[in-house]
Amino acid sequence: MGAEGEKVRTSGEISRPEPSPILPTVNPATEKPEAPKSGLHPAFYVVTWITLSSSVILFNKWILDTANFHFPIILTTWHLAFATLMTQILARTTTLLDGRKTVKMTGRVYLRAIVPIGLFFSLSLIFGNLTYLYLSVAFIQMLKATTPVAVLLATWGLGVASPNFKVLFNVSFIVIGVVIASFGEIKFVLVGFLFQAGGIMFEAIRLVMVQRLLSSAEYKMDPLVSLYYFAPVCAVMNACASLVFEVPKLHLQDIYNVGVWTLVANAMIAFMLNVSVVFLIGKTSSLVLTLCGVLKDILLVGASMMIWGTQVTPLQMFGYSIALGGLIYYKLGAEKLKEYFSQGGRAWADYGVRHPVLRKMIIFFSILLFVFILFGGLAPTYAPDYDPKAYLTNSRYVSSLLGDKAT
């Protein structure tokens, strides 16, 4: 026993290297892997969203007004039916709609939540498209700036939030700006204004109802999953409305005049917009989203002026500037704006140190552009009835020259 004990003690004193497994189960270097980075810059998603969003609005205006396809409910129904088909295909062939698997959707929830939201969604789309028959794209975008105000009032009316007069004061600048822009509108049509107001109201109620639904963790949905559930019921509702109001007046020639492939392209762009929103939300911040929306609205106003020759008065631009400023202030808040302005000031100062000549050139051309736009906008008010051809025709001097030449 003594010998065996000695052997044990001797054996215990021998240091043995710890064996390392051939295939280690945990690698410290990769224990917390980084999320794979996308090869595309966030600016790509921003530009894509702005392009698609603007294209849908301009495309709808062109079809409903310029191409004389005066059937907005049918067009909306077509968009929703196409979205229903595409979401069903994507759900079966891609992973874009895998988020629906975590949503505990039952027949009771669908009837009590999805169907009412779908009703207001349909009404907002119908009224929004009807507006294109009466108002310009520029004025429509100015009116849409009041959507946050309508959403705020809807949250109070439906009991989702308590009234806050400080917040109401903050959004009052949006209302003041839009009112000024409305007074400056040259081609103001009351029917179109009421349709747009109704569309904004229905959209605000829909957004508040969606907010209440998504407040539960069981029903968290991204925009594409929401479209998966809402598009079918909205398509059915719109189809029923179109059967009553528009289908009896529709002829095949109306569709041929627009073009079948034109309608397919229109629906495809509208659907791609919903897909782009899913990628945009995950790639940008709230500041970028807010500024993108403002930039898109400004570009649409400019596009309306170039494509349809929409006249935008200086009073409208002044009012719209107030509304956009109020919109940014409401969405970001004073503290965030101070932080962003501070960061921007430091970056601008640093740029001036590194590139003093370029900084001076940027300031000079910015002032020049501002003066050009200012006087360009005010120019028509100096001589609105001036006609160069009539002036030359009635000029005695020119007539005498032409007469002498003729003799």
Side-chain angles (χ1 to χ4, degrees):
M1 289 292 295
E4 291 178 0
E6 186 68 19
K7 285 183 179 180
V8 172
R9 286 193 296 271
T10 305
S11 173
E13 292 172 359
I14 299 174
S15 60
R16 298 179 180 177
E18 294 182 1
S20 58
I22 298 175
L23 296 175
T25 56
V26 178
N27 186 347
T30 60
E31 188 173 358
K32 295 181 179 180
E34 295 182 357
K37 296 182 179 179
S38 173
L40 297 175
H41 193 275
F44 171 81
Y45 299 100
V46 170
V47 172
T48 301
W49 177 79
I50 291 177
T51 302
L52 291 174
S53 182
S54 303
S55 299
V56 169
I57 293 173
L58 297 174
F59 210 162
N60 287 349
K61 172 68 175 178
W62 182 84
I63 290 176
L64 294 171
D65 190 15
T66 307
N68 294 320
F69 188 78
H70 298 161
F71 304 98
I73 304 178
I74 292 177
L75 184 65
T76 307
T77 304
W78 163 237
H79 285 179
L80 293 167
F82 187 87
T84 301
L85 174 64
M86 293 303 297
T87 50
Q88 293 295 326
I89 293 174
L90 291 180
R92 289 161 173 76
T93 57
T94 69
T95 60
L96 290 175
L97 284 158
D98 283 356
R100 77 188 193 283
K101 297 176 182 177
T102 61
V103 179
K104 296 182 179 180
M105 187 61 63
T106 62
R108 184 170 178 269
V109 173
Y110 197 87
L111 289 174
R112 295 188 61 181
I114 302 299
V115 172
I117 293 174
L119 173 62
F120 286 101
F121 190 22
S122 297
L123 290 173
S124 69
L125 292 174
I126 291 172
F127 276 61
N129 278 344
L130 281 169
T131 309
Y132 290 120
L133 299 176
Y134 302 95
L135 302 179
S136 66
V137 171
F139 189 42
I140 290 172
Q141 294 308 121
M142 295 179 188
L143 295 177
K144 283 183 179 180
T146 59
T147 301
V149 182
V151 173
L152 180 65
L153 297 177
T155 56
W156 295 350
L158 296 177
V160 176
S162 301
N164 187 326
F165 290 100
K166 182 180 179 181
V167 178
L168 182 62
F169 175 77
N170 291 340
V171 301
S172 62
F173 290 99
I174 302 176
V175 179
I176 293 172
V178 172
V179 169
I180 295 174
S182 299
F183 276 112
E185 173 64 17
I186 297 175
K187 297 180 180 179
F188 183 87
V189 180
L190 181 60
V191 175
F193 177 83
L194 293 176
F195 274 133
Q196 185 59 49
I200 292 173
M201 179 187 68
F202 291 132
E203 176 66 8
I205 296 174
R206 181 190 76 87
L207 291 174
V208 174
M209 294 176 70
V210 170
Q211 178 186 348
R212 179 181 289 178
L213 175 66
L214 298 183
S215 61
S216 174
E218 299 177 348
Y219 304 110
K220 293 292 183 182
M221 294 181 279
D222 61 53
L224 199 56
V225 174
S226 299
L227 189 66
Y228 173 83
Y229 287 113
F230 290 120
V233 64
C234 291
V236 172
M237 291 179 180
N238 282 21
C240 293
S242 64
L243 287 173
V244 176
F245 296 106
E246 293 185 351
V247 170
K249 297 180 289 184
L250 178 69
H251 301 90
L252 285 177
Q253 190 60 41
D254 295 318
I255 298 176
Y256 294 148
N257 290 339
V258 177
V260 175
W261 291 111
T262 301
L263 294 173
V264 171
N266 179 239
M268 177 61 75
I269 294 175
F271 178 74
M272 289 173 62
L273 173 62
N274 290 283
V275 178
S276 69
V277 171
V278 177
F279 292 97
L280 180 69
I281 291 174
K283 301 292 182 182
T284 56
S285 62
S286 59
L287 171 66
V288 175
L289 288 172
T290 301
L291 295 181
C292 285
V294 172
L295 176 61
K296 181 204 72 174
D297 292 340
I298 295 173
L299 291 176
L300 280 171
V301 172
S304 177
M305 296 170 66
M306 289 188 295
I307 298 174
W308 289 283
T310 304
Q311 295 182 358
V312 178
T313 63
L315 183 62
Q316 275 187 292
M317 296 303 298
F318 174 70
Y320 192 42
S321 300
I322 295 176
L324 291 181
L327 180 65
I328 295 174
Y329 180 81
Y330 170 67
K331 287 193 172 184
L332 298 180
E335 295 301 323
K336 279 287 185 183
L337 284 176
K338 289 179 182 177
E339 179 184 346
Y340 291 135
F341 276 124
S342 177
Q343 294 176 358
R346 288 194 297 268
W348 178 246
D350 181 63
Y351 182 82
V353 172
R354 291 184 287 109
H355 308 284
V357 178
L358 287 177
R359 180 183 177 181
K360 291 180 181 178
M361 290 180 63
I362 291 173
I363 295 174
F364 173 75
F365 283 110
S366 298
I367 295 174
L368 191 65
L369 179 63
F370 173 77
V371 172
F372 177 77
I373 294 175
L374 178 64
F375 284 98
L378 294 176
T381 61
Y382 293 139
D385 298 326
Y386 172 71
D387 186 357
K389 293 182 179 179
Y391 177 80
L392 290 174
T393 303
N394 297 328
S395 174
R396 294 180 180 179
Y397 177 70
V398 174
S399 299
S400 62
L401 288 179
L402 293 176
D404 293 343
K405 186 177 180 180
T407 56

